[in-house]
């Protein structure tokens, strides 16, 4: 028996399907390109799984033993694991963005995470959190593409946590 897959995040998927990106890109092609849509869903699953580990950092006290243990795990295991998944997708697709030459919903998801945590200059440890993303030239180029693509948004939006 094959595992059953549900379609994650229906509202963002619907919005991405019915609206084009800033450069006219199809952010979620759905039935027009089921393979790319499936790859987007897989990437969103990876990112959502990883993001669950971050909730602790927004609700805990810096410098507690628990915080230090979870932060150490984040920078030694979780972040390198995420970067590895990003790098594998970039290498497999040999593209500018995570899954294709044009931005997709998966790239928006990655950008939201990057701007909200490791590349948020108000984050106390952002310089440490950026290290895994800067080690791989391919991932570094991808991250800097996203940071440039979302520069205006980053400059005009302040995270409220």
């Amino acid at each position: 028996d094959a595992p059953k897959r549900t379609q994650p995040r229906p509202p963002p998927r619907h919005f991405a399907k019915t609206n084009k990106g800033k450069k006219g890109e199809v952010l979620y092609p759905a039935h027009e390109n089921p393979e790319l849509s499936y790859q987007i869903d897989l990437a969103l699953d990876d990112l959502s799984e990883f993001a669950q580990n971050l909730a602790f950092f927004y609700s805990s006290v810096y410098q507690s033993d628990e915080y230090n243990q979870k932060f150490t795990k984040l920078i030694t295991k979780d972040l390198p694991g995420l970067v590895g998944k990003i790098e594998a997708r970039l290498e497999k697709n040999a593209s500018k963005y995570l899954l294709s030459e044009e931005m997709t919903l998966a790239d928006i998801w990655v950008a939201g995470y990057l701007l909200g945590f490791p590349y948020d200059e108000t984050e106390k440890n952002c310089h440490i959190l950026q290290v895994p993303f800067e080690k791989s030239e391919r991932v570094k180029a991808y991250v800097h593409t996203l940071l440039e693509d979302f520069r205006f948004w980053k400059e005009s939006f302040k995270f409220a946590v």
Side-chain angles (χ1 to χ4, degrees), residues 46-84:
D46 285 346
L47 293 166
S48 294
E49 181 181 303
F50 176 78
Q52 291 173 8
N53 298 331
L54 299 180
F56 173 80
F57 296 99
Y58 291 113
S59 62
S60 64
V61 177
Y62 284 116
Q63 304 309 319
S64 69
D65 287 341
E66 184 180 18
Y67 179 92
N68 291 336
Q69 289 172 357
K70 289 191 177 194
F71 187 79
T72 299
K73 181 181 176 280
L74 177 73
I75 61 175
T76 60
K77 182 180 177 200
D78 298 339
L79 275 177
L82 176 65
V83 170

Side-chain angles (χ1 to χ4, degrees), residues 13-60:
R13 287 174 63 248
H14 175 73
F15 181 82
K17 178 183 167 198
T18 57
N19 295 278
K20 294 194 182 289
K22 191 168 113 177
K23 299 175 185 171
E25 52 284 75
V26 176
L27 301 171
Y28 191 85
H31 65 277
E32 294 171 17
N33 187 338
E35 178 58 29
L36 179 57
S37 298
Y38 177 69
Q39 293 302 320
I40 292 169
D41 288 342
L42 289 178
L44 295 180
D45 286 347
D46 285 346
L47 293 166
S48 294
E49 181 181 303
F50 176 78
Q52 291 173 8
N53 298 331
L54 299 180
F56 173 80
F57 296 99
Y58 291 113
S59 62
S60 64

